[in-house]
Amino acid sequence: MCFDAFHQLKSQKLVGRWNCQIVFSDPGKRQLLNRLLAPFISRGILMEVLKLWIKGCSIIVLDVPLLFEAKMDKWTKPIVVVWVDPKTQLQRLRMRDGSMEEDAQRRINALMSLDLKRSQIDIVIDNTGSLEALHEEFQKVLTQITRPLAWTEFMLSRNGAFLALFSTFVNVAIFKKCSL
C-alpha cells in the first residue's frame, strides 16, 4: 500500500521538487505524505540528536514545523516557539516565498496555529517587533536555557548518564569485592 501511495504521489511530481499547491490544498494527500515520511524524518532527527548528545552538546536546537503533529514534543525540552501574529506571519511568508496570498494562507492553515502551539510550549519568543527586539528576546531565552540544570535534567544529560553508568560499575565492583 505504501509503495502504491508513494508511486501515486511521485507521479504528481511531489518527489524531488515538492508541489506545494497539491500538498497544501488537499488535506488527504498531505496526511498521506506525512504518514509516509514522518517515521523516516523522526528517526533521522532522533539519530542526529543522539550523535550530538554523545558528542556532549549541551544545547541542541531542532527546527521542526510539525513538532506536535509528529508527536516529537514528547522527547523535546524545553519547547521554544517563535510567535508572531497571523497577519504578520502571512505577510512574511509571502515575502519569503514570493507566493500568492491564497497559497500562503493554505500553507499556514496546514500547520497547527501558533496560538495553539503557544499554549503547549515552555518558552515563547515574540517576533512581532524589530530584529533588534528579536535578538534581545533570543538572548533572554538563551540565558534561561543555559542555566544550571535541575537534578532530573542533569540525569538526562550526557554527563548525568555517564555518572549513573560509572556509579553502577563502581557499585558492582564493590559488591563483587565484598562477596569474595
Side-chain angles (χ1 to χ4, degrees), residues 146-168:
T146 56
R147 69 178 175 18
L149 299 176
W151 180 247
T152 54
E153 294 168 326
F154 175 75
M155 291 311 291
L156 293 173
S157 73
R158 178 176 172 257
N159 291 341
F162 286 144
L163 178 63
L165 187 61
F166 177 75
S167 297
T168 302

Side-chain angles (χ1 to χ4, degrees), residues 28 36 46 75 85 89 99 118-120 135 137 161 166 174:
L36 291 172
L46 186 59
W75 48 272
D85 62 272
Q89 183 184 20
S99 55
R118 193 176 189 167
S119 68
Q120 299 180 26
H135 182 73
E137 286 276 326
F166 177 75
I174 291 171

Side-chain angles (χ1 to χ4, degrees), residues 131-148:
L131 267 175
E132 293 79 27
L134 178 62
H135 182 73
E136 287 176 28
E137 286 276 326
F138 176 76
Q139 289 302 321
K140 289 178 192 173
V141 169
L142 190 58
T143 300
Q144 185 178 350
I145 64 175
T146 56
R147 69 178 175 18

Side-chain angles (χ1 to χ4, degrees), residues 8-175:
Q8 188 178 15
L9 289 172
K10 185 176 179 182
S11 69
Q12 295 177 24
K13 298 180 182 174
L14 285 174
V15 175
R17 184 177 172 267
W18 300 104
N19 188 330
C20 294
Q21 288 180 329
I22 293 173
V23 173
F24 291 115
S25 65
D26 186 335
K29 288 180 182 172
R30 184 176 59 254
Q31 288 171 356
L32 175 62
L33 185 65
N34 286 341
R35 276 198 318 268
L36 291 172
L37 296 180
F40 298 104
I41 293 169
S42 295
R43 194 173 310 122
I45 290 172
L46 186 59
M47 292 306 295
E48 290 302 312
V49 167
L50 186 59
K51 287 178 196 174
L52 293 168
W53 182 83
I54 289 169
K55 286 181 180 178
C57 293
S58 58
I59 297 174
I60 301 170
V61 177
L62 302 176
D63 182 5
V64 185
L66 298 174
L67 182 77
F68 296 101
E69 295 86 341
K71 308 284 188 257
M72 292 171 55
D73 58 310
K74 305 295 183 234
W75 48 272
T76 318
K77 263 311 194 202
I79 297 174
V80 179
V81 167
V82 179
W83 182 88
V84 68
D85 62 272
K87 181 180 176 185
T88 306
Q89 183 184 20
L90 179 64
Q91 193 176 40
R92 289 180 181 172
L93 179 60
R94 289 189 65 208
M95 283 180 15
R96 185 191 77 190
D97 294 347
S99 55
M100 302 298 291
E101 184 170 348
E102 186 178 302
D103 292 335
Q105 192 61 57
R106 270 196 228 117
R107 263 186 116 137
I108 291 170
N109 293 343
L111 300 171
M112 180 187 284
S113 80
L114 287 176
D115 287 331
L116 186 56
K117 285 181 184 179
R118 193 176 189 167
S119 68
Q120 299 180 26
I121 53 120
D122 303 302
I123 302 170
V124 175
I125 296 178
D126 188 333
N127 190 15
T128 56
S130 66
L131 267 175
E132 293 79 27
L134 178 62
H135 182 73
E136 287 176 28
E137 286 276 326
F138 176 76
Q139 289 302 321
K140 289 178 192 173
V141 169
L142 190 58
T143 300
Q144 185 178 350
I145 64 175
T146 56
R147 69 178 175 18
L149 299 176
W151 180 247
T152 54
E153 294 168 326
F154 175 75
M155 291 311 291
L156 293 173
S157 73
R158 178 176 172 257
N159 291 341
F162 286 144
L163 178 63
L165 187 61
F166 177 75
S167 297
T168 302
F169 282 131
V170 168
N171 286 332
V172 167
I174 291 171
F175 181 73

